[in-house]
Amino acid sequence: MLLTSCSEDFTQPEQTDGFSNDKMKELAKNPEFAMYLNNAIDAGIGNKLISWNNDGRSRHDDFGQKAVDLGLDLMSNDMAMIPKTGWFGPYYQYSGRGEAYILTSNLWGYYTFIIDNLNTIIVNLENSGNSEEVLALKGRSHGMRAFANFMLIRLYASGDKGIPYATESNKNYARASVTEINDLIEKDLLLAYDLALPNASSKETLTKSTIAGLLTRFYLYKKDYANVVKYSDLALTNFSKAVSFAIVNDGFVNSSNPDWMWGKERNASNTTDFISFFGHMDSYNGGGYVAYAGEYKMIDKRLYDAMSVTDKRREWFSNGDKEVYGIVPLYANATKFRDKTTNFIGDYIYMRSTEIFLNKAEAAAELGDNATAQAILKDIMSTRDEKYTVTKTGAALIEEVRLQRRIELWGEGFAFFDMKRWGIALERNYPGSNHADSGKWSYPVGSPKFVFQFPLRELQANDKIPPSEQNPF
């Protein structure tokens, strides 16, 4: 398993220069230095989520977690694009999931790198006591390790075959079962929740609420709906009702927005300029790939048409207006993701309260609690569509929750994984489709195309995964 050691990506050069990895481990036995080192690595994990060139190939679709979120949305039914430059095409055209391709190498390396560095923190903390600071850092480390493994298991699991894994005390190079990996993720998340602090000075830091939010995602995936409801309530401790659309609708650029629970503030010192989420999503910022190169990202026509004509979220998408750089295509992102800065320093969002309300609504509908699911939908939609009503129950209500989720969370990184867990086929080649010809694929439910192959460099380095254990192409 290609897991790298702590590197200068995670600590400042002055903190590591002249130290071998063995020397750093020896120094980490000192409690004071261990905390100094671990805090540096912890801060580096946050920076890794927004960093460019994680794979070392200088690709412009490799800028951290939001690149993955955008790419995976482009593998769903719900987002179309106009391929121009080649960036994100391997996601949209399903051409990058094969073992020899850069995309799968990038994804595998990105999350295993994070996991390895988190394991370094966890090991170092064994000699650092039980202060509140130590326990909180331990909790965050287990929470982020769960986050990374959760991404990997959903990308690489095939049937009951899971992934190799590494913890602070064990490296399993063979493919563990899906059940074993799920148990590891759950154990990490529950420990993280127990140890995390209730509040933090920055939304970049995982707290009890955000870890509870991660638990709602995990339990939705497991179809453990009672626990989704339980941890939704714990995640929403500070939210008595859904945040109004007027507040939500700010271009998704400001981490101080009351709806945001977990995100990363970006500024002139950490911007990756046009090699960024907004550089690939904002249809009007002339320095990016969309407005300048014409590589627009669009909502699927069927999903747009499913919105009521009185739904304010229709305004998120273009009606074909002519702008400085020409006609913005119908259905292209217009105002949902809008960064008006000149150097693309809009903040990055990883979780917001509206998502958690929708998680709870879905779980309630699945449990047959029609009243709760309807109440949540009415609350969310009351500021989005004044004419919205919902009286559906049972299977129809479940479909209604799914529809509103797909619309509300469009472009935020949920569509592909939702499609997989709901058992939805990829169907882009339909009459009137606004998908590009190169993306008009149709794959049935459970298609192997929805699973990435392990990268060749992992197979070459790991003889515990023979060719017979590779995922099908």
Side-chain angles (χ1 to χ4, degrees), residues 429-445:
N429 191 10
Y430 58 89
S433 173
N434 63 326
H435 285 270
D437 288 342
S438 61
K440 286 183 178 177
W441 303 114
S442 294
Y443 298 129
V445 174

Side-chain angles (χ1 to χ4, degrees), residues 362-374:
E362 181 178 341
E366 291 281 1
L367 290 169
D369 185 355
N370 297 319
T372 296
Q374 290 170 350

Side-chain angles (χ1 to χ4, degrees), residues 412-440:
E412 297 180 45
F414 297 97
F416 177 66
F417 288 142
D418 284 349
M419 185 180 81
K420 288 181 66 172
R421 68 184 178 85
W422 291 336
I424 304 296
L426 185 77
E427 297 177 350
R428 294 178 180 165
N429 191 10
Y430 58 89
S433 173
N434 63 326
H435 285 270
D437 288 342
S438 61
K440 286 183 178 177

Side-chain angles (χ1 to χ4, degrees), residues 156-288:
Y156 290 95
S158 178
D160 63 354
K161 294 180 180 180
I163 56 175
Y165 70 89
T167 68
E168 69 279 12
S169 59
N170 182 32
K171 289 188 177 181
N172 182 76
Y173 294 100
R175 295 188 74 167
S177 69
V178 170
T179 298
E180 189 174 355
I181 299 301
N182 286 346
D183 289 346
L184 175 67
I185 294 168
E186 183 175 31
K187 180 180 177 181
D188 269 347
L189 286 174
L190 292 174
L191 178 60
Y193 180 80
D194 287 341
L195 297 179
L197 297 175
N199 300 296
S201 59
S202 167
K203 289 183 180 179
E204 179 182 345
T205 303
L206 289 175
T207 63
K208 280 193 182 299
S209 293
T210 48
I211 293 170
L214 292 177
L215 278 160
T216 69
R217 295 178 182 178
F218 174 72
Y219 285 126
L220 273 180
Y221 152 82
K222 288 280 300 283
K223 302 187 188 302
D224 183 347
Y225 299 118
N227 267 322
V228 176
V229 172
K230 173 184 175 180
Y231 284 99
S232 293
D233 289 339
L234 292 169
L236 295 169
T237 301
N238 297 320
F239 298 89
S240 59
K241 60 181 300 183
V243 177
S244 73
F245 186 67
I247 294 175
V248 168
N249 191 31
D250 69 348
F252 286 78
V253 293
N254 193 340
S255 63
S256 66
N257 188 298
D259 194 30
W260 288 35
M261 296 173 62
W262 182 27
K264 174 69 174 179
E265 183 178 351
R266 299 171 67 249
N267 50 51
S269 67
N270 64 17
T271 180
T272 52
D273 205 68
F274 59 90
I275 308 171
S276 62
F277 180 76
F278 290 100
H280 284 276
M281 278 294 282
D282 191 331
S283 295
Y284 303 110
N285 195 324

Side-chain angles (χ1 to χ4, degrees), residues 67 73 79 169:
D73 272 347
M79 185 181 287
S169 59

